[in-house]
Amino acid sequence: MASSRIDDFAIEGTLPHLLPFAADSLVFESSARLAILAKHTSQLMSSLGGLVPGLYHAVNDTGKSKGKAKATAVDDLVGSLSDLTVGNASKDNRAQFASILLLLQLVQSESSSTSAFHSTLLQLTSPPPTRLHPKFDSTPTTRQTRSLLPLASLSFALEASRALSFERFDPIKYFRLLTDERASSYERIVLSWAEGRVKDRAWEVMKRAYISMRLDWACRWTGEEGDGWVAKKGATCVDGVVRLR
């Protein structure tokens, strides 16, 4: 990873003192992707944090840590991203890694994933609050008032959130998203970590709602293939119809 040439990053107009950050970004990006392939969630979160400021180029240093209350790892990541910009728009990976962060929260324990997801989404897509300064402050700091990312750039994570939500649970939509090429393969891999949970819930919902169901529809609903899985669930399949009770 460390041997990657910085020329491959193709950064135009980047100040010389920022070039080491570009090199670091290659390492942290690779680390995040390898963590996804290895399904190593703690390393993935660590790598996401390491992308700041490695992946993004700082344009000012306003002493953000002074007087700042202790924050969570997600707060630190989102807050740091908000004060950074990207040197080359063609290499702007903020949306992809923000989406991965959101998806990672979605596939965690169901009890806390919803609140964590929406909290992070709000921080990523809402303009930061305006900072008030003392009346006689001769050197006030400034802060961007636009949001870090437009909501539309996180549409894949938003659709996944709706499909996995308790109120709008939609396993068919979820399984479609796993092959949706609008998202990167890494985003789809992270989303797939919830597959077992989705299949279990889809089966329970189907059992409560139906007495029987056509096999082809049952497969679409549960993400299964063939009929070998039916008996394992304690049901039977006769003439292409799954008997649930």
Side-chain angles (χ1 to χ4, degrees):
M1 292 184 293
S3 62
S4 299
R5 294 175 62 249
I6 199 167
D7 293 341
D8 294 336
F9 212 53
I11 299 175
E12 299 177 358
T14 302
L15 296 176
H17 70 280
L18 291 177
L19 291 178
F21 292 133
D24 289 343
S25 72
L26 300 176
V27 176
F28 284 114
E29 279 192 345
S30 297
S31 177
R33 288 168 178 144
L34 286 173
I36 291 172
L37 295 176
K39 199 176 180 180
H40 197 316
T41 55
S42 60
Q43 180 59 44
L44 175 57
M45 181 60 79
S46 176
S47 298
L48 288 172
L51 288 171
V52 183
L55 180 61
Y56 311 109
H57 303 141
V59 291
N60 57 24
D61 182 4
T62 58
K64 295 180 288 296
S65 62
K66 294 182 180 179
K68 181 180 178 180
K70 185 177 181 181
T72 66
V74 172
D75 290 335
D76 289 338
L77 175 58
V78 175
S80 298
L81 285 172
S82 298
D83 287 324
L84 302 174
T85 188
V86 178
N88 183 2
S90 67
K91 293 295 181 180
D92 188 344
N93 289 318
R94 285 179 297 183
Q96 179 183 151
F97 282 98
S99 179
I100 288 172
L101 174 63
L102 290 167
L103 292 167
L104 181 60
Q105 293 176 329
L106 279 179
V107 302
Q108 299 299 310
S109 60
E110 197 167 5
S111 59
S112 60
S113 61
T114 301
S115 58
F117 174 90
H118 288 291
S119 175
T120 301
L121 180 67
L122 187 64
Q123 293 179 67
L124 289 167
T125 59
S126 298
T130 302
R131 289 181 177 176
L132 300 178
H133 303 284
K135 183 176 181 180
F136 298 105
D137 190 345
S138 59
T139 58
T141 58
T142 59
R143 184 183 178 93
Q144 293 179 338
T145 57
R146 63 184 179 85
S147 61
L148 172 64
L149 291 168
L151 192 62
S153 69
L154 300 173
S155 60
F156 182 79
L158 281 169
E159 290 182 46
S161 174
R162 297 186 188 106
L164 291 172
S165 69
F166 181 82
E167 298 81 4
R168 303 173 65 177
F169 179 61
D170 188 345
I172 294 177
K173 177 66 174 179
Y174 170 81
F175 293 118
R176 284 177 181 169
L177 288 173
L178 294 182
T179 58
D180 192 333
E181 295 187 355
R182 291 176 302 165
S184 69
S185 58
Y186 296 98
E187 290 169 272
R188 298 197 299 270
I189 289 172
V190 172
L191 182 59
S192 74
W193 294 349
E195 186 171 352
R197 188 178 86 202
V198 171
K199 286 185 175 182
D200 289 343
R201 185 177 176 193
W203 175 255
E204 292 302 321
V205 170
M206 190 170 68
K207 281 202 308 181
R208 289 197 299 267
Y210 297 91
I211 296 176
S212 63
M213 180 181 286
R214 291 202 331 263
L215 177 63
D216 58 343
W217 183 256
C219 287
R220 289 183 62 194
W221 182 258
T222 60
E224 303 285 0
E225 296 181 0
D227 60 1
W229 60 276
V230 177
K232 296 178 181 178
K233 291 290 189 179
T236 58
C237 183
V238 180
D239 297 329
V241 176
V242 178
R243 308 292 181 183
L244 300 168
R245 303 178 192 176

